[in-house]
């Protein structure tokens, strides 16, 4: 069953609000709320049928009941004087994109982006939205001598949300709603991402108001749909996409082990590459979900990485 889950921030957060990190937290919650055997069974079933496991999009902002989606990757015109401003748009109101998706062209999409730029100082008129980033400096501590290294500094970035802005994600959970809420309760208690032990990555979820069951067909394709924008970090299989006609940005990533595996050696996974959220993909076949779990990412063969693409379908006139 698909759910929309709203995450209301109680603090800033360090880690990316990406689908693979959210999925990892939900999987560890299954391990601690139910059992390790249940987690292994869920993962094994998911390798054969992704809808027997947990699926999720990345997290996107929401303000005043206006949902946002990632800005799409598209062929830009370098001679456009507004190009620098267009590249700064990270999120777009879902309602504006919904009005374009039936007869989508990049020209219409760019006109919509220009309307956001024209009123970015007024949320009510344009829907312009961005996050707040705080760069913090830290001392490097020598753990052997328990002293600070002379001149040793490193920085970390904390992301904060503007007032009144929450995050939301679409999550598919194969069990009943009550079990899903148990998973979310553990998520709230444990926190999200890096530095959660210091108070970062804290969210509030009203289990009555912020967890909504949505139509299972929300990600289904229509007969005229011929392209999709990915709502998650997605590593495509060779037979899934025509990459020559797709528009995307590649994101390399080296996942880090967490929770009970954080002391494993090595504690990093092998490098993977993904298409970023908002990549516009031309599929060779229509499916509800693309990709599969990435395996062989660690010397421990039981460890895998979430690499599935959740589609937002478009009727592309260019294609």
């Amino acid at each position: 069953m698909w759910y929309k889950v709203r995450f209301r921030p109680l603090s800033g957060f360090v880690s990316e609000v990406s689908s693979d990190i959210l999925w990892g937290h939900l999987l560890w919650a299954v391990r601690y709320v139910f059992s390790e055997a249940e987690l292994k069974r869920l993962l094994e079933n998911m390798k054969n049928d992704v809808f027997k496991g947990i699926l999720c999009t990345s997290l996107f902002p929401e303000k005043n009941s206006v949902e946002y989606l990632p800005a799409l990757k598209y062929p830009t015109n370098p001679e456009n004087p507004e190009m620098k401003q267009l590249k700064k748009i990270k999120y777009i109101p879902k309602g504006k994109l919904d009005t374009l998706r039936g007869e989508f062209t990049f020209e219409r999409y760019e006109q919509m982006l220009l309307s956001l730029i024209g009123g970015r100082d007024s949320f009510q008129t344009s829907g312009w939205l961005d996050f707040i980033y705080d760069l913090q400096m830290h001392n490097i501590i020598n753990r052997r001598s328990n002293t600070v290294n002379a001149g040793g500094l490193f920085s970390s970035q904390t992301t904060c949300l503007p007032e009144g802005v929450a995050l939301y994600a679409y999550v598919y959970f194969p069990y009943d709603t009550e079990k899903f809420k148990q998973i979310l309760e553990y998520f709230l208690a444990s926190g999200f991402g890096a530095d959660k032990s210091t108070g970062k990555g804290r969210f509030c979820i009203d289990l009555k108001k912020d967890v909504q069951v949505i139509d299972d067909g929300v990600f289904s394709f229509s007969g005229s749909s011929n392209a999709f924008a990915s709502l998650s970090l997605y590593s495509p299989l060779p037979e899934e996409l025509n990459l020559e006609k797709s528009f995307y940005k590649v994101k390399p990533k080296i996942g880090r082990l967490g929770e009970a595996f954080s002391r494993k050696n090595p504690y990093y996974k092998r490098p993977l590459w993904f298409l970023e959220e908002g990549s516009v993909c031309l599929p060779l076949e229509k499916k509800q979900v693309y990709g599969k779990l990435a395996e062989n990412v660690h010397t421990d063969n039981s460890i895998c990485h979430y690499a599935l693409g959740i589609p937002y379908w478009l009727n592309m006139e260019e294609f």
Side-chain angles (χ1 to χ4, degrees):
M1 186 177 295
W2 281 102
Y3 299 86
K4 175 192 170 185
V5 185
R6 185 180 297 110
F7 302 79
R8 304 178 187 274
L10 300 177
S11 69
F13 47 90
V14 177
S15 295
E16 299 174 334
V17 285
S18 57
S19 53
D20 56 337
I21 296 179
L22 174 60
W23 183 81
H25 281 73
L26 296 175
L27 265 289
W28 279 113
V30 170
R31 160 67 177 83
Y32 291 125
V33 173
F34 302 121
S35 67
E36 183 175 354
E38 180 62 25
L39 172 59
K40 290 181 177 179
R41 187 182 71 82
L42 185 146
L43 283 173
E44 195 59 37
N45 289 341
M46 193 174 178
K47 292 175 183 178
N48 300 318
D49 180 357
V50 293
F51 284 101
K52 291 184 177 180
I54 296 175
L55 308 174
C56 65
T57 66
S58 296
L59 292 103
F60 307 119
E62 178 180 357
K63 182 176 182 179
N64 297 345
S65 299
V66 176
E67 298 175 2
Y68 286 75
L69 292 177
L72 305 187
K73 311 297 186 286
Y74 73 105
T76 56
N77 179 6
E79 296 181 359
N80 188 333
E82 299 285 358
M83 189 50 58
K84 287 185 178 180
Q85 295 298 325
L86 292 176
K87 289 182 177 180
K88 293 180 181 179
I89 298 178
K90 297 181 180 179
Y91 299 100
I92 52 178
K94 181 177 181 293
K96 291 182 180 288
L97 191 56
D98 286 343
T99 61
L100 299 178
R101 68 188 299 187
E103 296 179 348
F104 187 91
T105 67
F106 288 123
E107 181 180 357
R108 292 177 188 148
Y109 176 71
E110 189 168 275
Q111 289 300 316
M112 184 266 288
L113 294 183
L114 290 171
S115 72
L116 295 182
I117 291 176
R120 63 176 174 268
D121 294 328
S122 172
F123 169 82
Q124 297 297 335
T125 58
S126 72
W128 176 276
L129 180 65
D130 200 357
F131 292 169
I132 300 169
Y133 301 99
D134 178 32
L135 194 65
Q136 298 177 330
M137 302 302 297
H138 307 270
N139 292 316
I140 295 177
I141 298 177
N142 186 323
R143 299 298 180 184
R144 293 181 177 179
S145 62
N146 203 29
T147 59
V148 174
N149 289 348
L153 295 173
F154 71 96
S155 64
S156 67
Q157 179 174 274
T158 299
T159 304
C160 301
L161 300 180
E163 184 177 356
V165 175
L167 297 175
Y168 77 95
Y170 296 112
V171 180
Y172 180 87
F173 193 72
Y175 307 145
D176 61 60
T177 302
E178 289 306 312
K179 287 187 176 181
F180 182 49
K181 289 183 177 181
Q182 288 180 263
I183 295 298
L184 293 178
E185 286 178 339
Y186 178 84
F187 174 89
L188 295 177
S190 63
F192 177 86
D195 291 347
K196 60 185 181 182
S197 62
T198 66
K200 302 286 180 65
R202 296 291 166 177
F203 292 91
C204 171
I205 301 174
D206 187 324
L207 296 179
K208 293 183 178 180
K209 297 180 180 179
D210 294 335
V211 181
Q212 304 169 7
V213 177
I214 61 174
D215 184 0
D216 282 351
V218 66
F219 301 112
S220 298
F221 49 85
S222 66
S224 56
S225 301
N226 58 352
F228 68 86
S230 180
L231 300 183
S232 57
L233 287 181
Y234 161 46
S235 184
L237 302 176
E239 66 273 15
E240 288 184 330
L241 300 183
N242 183 340
L243 286 174
E244 291 183 359
K245 292 187 177 181
S246 300
F247 300 94
Y248 54 89
K249 186 175 181 180
V250 174
K251 182 182 182 68
K253 192 164 189 179
I254 301 176
R256 180 167 180 167
L257 304 186
E259 301 294 339
F261 285 172
S262 60
R263 296 186 180 274
K264 272 185 174 288
N265 186 24
Y267 54 86
Y268 283 105
K269 298 178 184 178
R270 298 187 178 106
L272 296 171
W273 68 273
F274 300 88
L275 306 187
E276 287 189 356
E277 301 94 335
S279 294
V280 178
C281 306
L282 178 61
L284 298 176
E285 61 175 322
K286 293 181 180 180
K287 300 192 294 186
Q288 287 185 298
V289 176
Y290 285 81
K292 66 175 185 178
L293 292 181
E295 300 182 69
N296 300 316
V297 297
H298 193 270
T299 54
D300 183 341
N301 291 329
S302 68
I303 295 173
C304 54
H305 198 97
Y306 186 79
L308 283 80
I310 308 298
Y312 174 88
W313 286 97
L314 303 168
N315 299 336
M316 295 280 294
E317 293 186 6
E318 282 92 344
F319 291 161

